[in-house]
Amino acid sequence: MSSPSFQDLTRQSAFMRMWFARLFGTTGSQMLMVAVGWQMYELTGSAWDLGLVGLYQFLPALLLTLVAGQVADRVHRGRIVAVCLVTQAGVSMTLVAATLGWGAGSGSGGGWVSRDLLLALSVVLGMVRAFQMPAQQALTPTLVPPVMLPRAMAFSSAGMQASVIGGPALGGVIFVAGATAVYATCAALFAIGCVLVLLLRYTHVPPPREPVTLHTLFAGAVFVWQRKALLGAVSLDLFAVLLGGAVALLPMFAKDILHVGPWGLGLLRAAPAVGALLASAVLTRWPLERRVGRTMLTAVAVYGVCMLVFGLSTSFVLSLLALAVSGIADMVSVVVRQTLMQIETPDDMRGRVSAVNSVFIGASNQLGEFESGATAAWLGPVGSVVLGGIGTLLVAALWLRWFPALAQRDKM
């Protein structure tokens, strides 16, 4: 029997409906963060406050992750995602009202948007995403046959990368018309995504009723810990991004090393996503079928080499190329990790396991930025990135030895 084609995947109407819902939702989320960050900086002029916007989203997501995973395994996942999208639309409309001064009274003299309001709404967004990510990740395997899952994961990643590239750019263009135009557009995108999710039709089998205990809350973490191939894949991705990430230092490289200014910074930020989008498109058409464990380890090693090249480069073109290839390598690692996680996990556990995965993703991104900044303060930006690249290569070599179950994994 031949493997299913890309056309077979696109005929899965429920999957495609979810794909478009995720596309609209992620684009809206990316645009929203561009506008909130810009408005915060306009209000306060403080880089510290910009950092707090991200921190105020990360902390509630971290604290609520285990609870959110439990909810995703007990409640209809489509409805969870729909409620999360509606809430984000509500946040967007609140920002429209605050910026325009609706309901502030005739003597207010303008909008009532403030630093405290932006930080409070950032907390709300963090809480929402704590519930949205596990439910969203756990939905995909219920919408496609298992044999099509590698293609589905790659195709989902392609949509995510398109949103990551296009969302901030679109938000920046619309911001010319004012912050309210961006917020209103975000609300519309979230509303469309919500309608698409509500139109999903899939079989939801409620799990047996059992009391919520520490055992059920930590079941996802225990599940990952007991499956060494899965633990190796998730932790490998965590440490690769934690050590090898250079995003936080890109403004320093653009200004002081490559001397390209803001336009160059925009290209540098987009380069990894462009590479990732290309890789996800290729993996959708030609999914990985053999030696997936070693392929993941190799991809992480390539990522480390790319960071070394980028850190040592003084050529803008070479730096762009290194970042683009790092995006390709990172996407290969992500697709293998996400597919292994969904294939290895029974449906009644997918929410909790996806929640554990989202903790690893959040920790690697946020702590990776902190690690880059701390080492850059000590060694300078070049030393920080080069040290991170060496660390990533070391992690890939150690994981080859410490997680033989991952290294020897042949098929998804």
Side-chain angles (χ1 to χ4, degrees):
M1 181 182 297
S2 60
S3 62
S5 66
F6 175 71
Q7 288 74 19
D8 294 327
L9 179 61
T10 58
R11 283 197 291 266
Q12 300 290 321
S13 59
F15 169 77
M16 290 307 299
R17 196 170 287 124
M18 183 62 204
W19 187 86
F20 278 110
R22 196 171 182 180
L23 182 71
F24 284 120
T26 305
T27 301
S29 177
Q30 293 290 323
M31 291 173 59
L32 184 59
M33 291 318 303
V34 167
V36 168
W38 188 273
Q39 195 166 26
M40 175 65 86
Y41 196 68
E42 280 189 333
L43 285 172
T44 69
S46 168
W48 173 256
D49 287 337
L50 280 179
L52 287 181
V53 170
L55 183 64
Y56 275 45
Q57 289 188 65
F58 171 67
L59 289 179
L62 177 64
L63 295 174
L64 290 173
T65 293
L66 294 178
V67 175
Q70 183 82 9
V71 172
D73 281 335
R74 290 174 175 244
V75 181
H76 192 288
R77 291 163 184 160
R79 292 171 188 164
I80 296 174
V81 176
V83 169
C84 291
L85 290 171
V86 165
T87 304
Q88 290 174 86
V91 168
S92 301
M93 291 309 299
T94 299
L95 287 166
V96 170
T99 303
L100 294 177
W102 294 348
S106 58
S108 63
W112 43 275
V113 67
S114 66
R115 171 184 181 273
D116 290 341
L117 176 67
L118 293 177
L119 291 178
L121 292 178
S122 295
V123 172
V124 174
L125 291 174
M127 295 170 65
V128 165
R129 288 170 190 166
F131 288 89
Q132 183 176 346
M133 285 186 65
Q136 199 165 255
Q137 290 178 13
L139 260 177
T140 299
T142 67
L143 303 179
V144 296
V147 70
M148 296 175 67
L149 189 56
R151 275 192 173 91
M153 298 307 299
F155 192 51
S156 294
S157 297
M160 289 288 291
Q161 292 303 323
S163 298
V164 169
I165 296 170
L170 182 60
V173 171
I174 297 176
F175 204 97
V176 174
T180 54
V182 182
Y183 295 140
T185 304
C186 291
L189 291 172
F190 291 134
I192 294 170
C194 178
V195 170
L196 289 171
V197 171
L198 291 175
L199 292 175
L200 281 178
R201 295 292 180 267
Y202 75 97
T203 302
H204 170 65
V205 181
R209 288 291 180 182
E210 58 178 338
V212 177
T213 63
L214 286 177
H215 173 75
T216 60
L217 281 175
F218 285 91
V222 172
F223 184 91
V224 172
W225 178 261
Q226 291 176 342
R227 286 152 182 81
K228 299 308 179 186
L230 190 55
L231 176 63
V234 173
S235 58
L236 176 64
D237 188 78
L238 164 67
F239 284 103
V241 176
L242 179 65
L243 295 173
V247 173
L249 303 180
L250 288 182
M252 300 178 71
F253 276 88
K255 181 180 180 181
D256 300 329
I257 296 173
L258 302 175
H259 309 291
V260 291
W263 64 271
L265 174 60
L267 291 178
L268 290 172
R269 289 188 67 93
V274 171
L277 179 60
L278 175 63
S280 58
V282 171
L283 291 173
T284 301
R285 181 63 182 86
W286 296 286
L288 295 171
E289 295 181 351
R290 303 296 301 272
R291 299 173 63 84
V292 295
R294 287 190 176 272
T295 298
M296 183 180 187
L297 288 162
T298 301
V300 170
V302 170
Y303 182 86
V305 170
C306 289
M307 290 301 99
L308 283 174
V309 173
F310 174 76
L312 295 172
S313 170
T314 57
S315 164
F316 180 59
V317 173
L318 179 59
S319 297
L320 279 178
L321 182 61
L323 289 175
V325 175
S326 77
I328 293 174
D330 184 50
M331 181 51 58
V332 172
S333 173
V334 166
V335 169
V336 172
R337 171 174 53 83
Q338 292 278 28
T339 307
L340 280 177
M341 182 181 69
Q342 301 298 353
I343 288 177
E344 292 287 315
T345 310
D347 185 64
D348 64 344
M349 287 284 298
R350 283 197 175 112
R352 282 166 287 181
V353 172
S354 295
V356 173
N357 183 52
S358 64
V359 169
F360 276 77
I361 293 173
S364 62
N365 291 332
Q366 300 292 333
L367 295 180
E369 292 185 7
F370 173 76
E371 179 272 337
S372 296
T375 54
W378 176 38
L379 298 173
V382 173
S384 173
V385 174
V386 169
L387 182 64
I390 293 172
T392 301
L393 288 171
L394 180 61
V395 165
L398 290 175
W399 260 238
L400 179 65
R401 179 180 180 85
W402 290 350
F403 293 94
L406 174 63
Q408 297 165 11
R409 182 71 180 236
D410 186 34
K411 297 181 179 181
M412 292 290 194

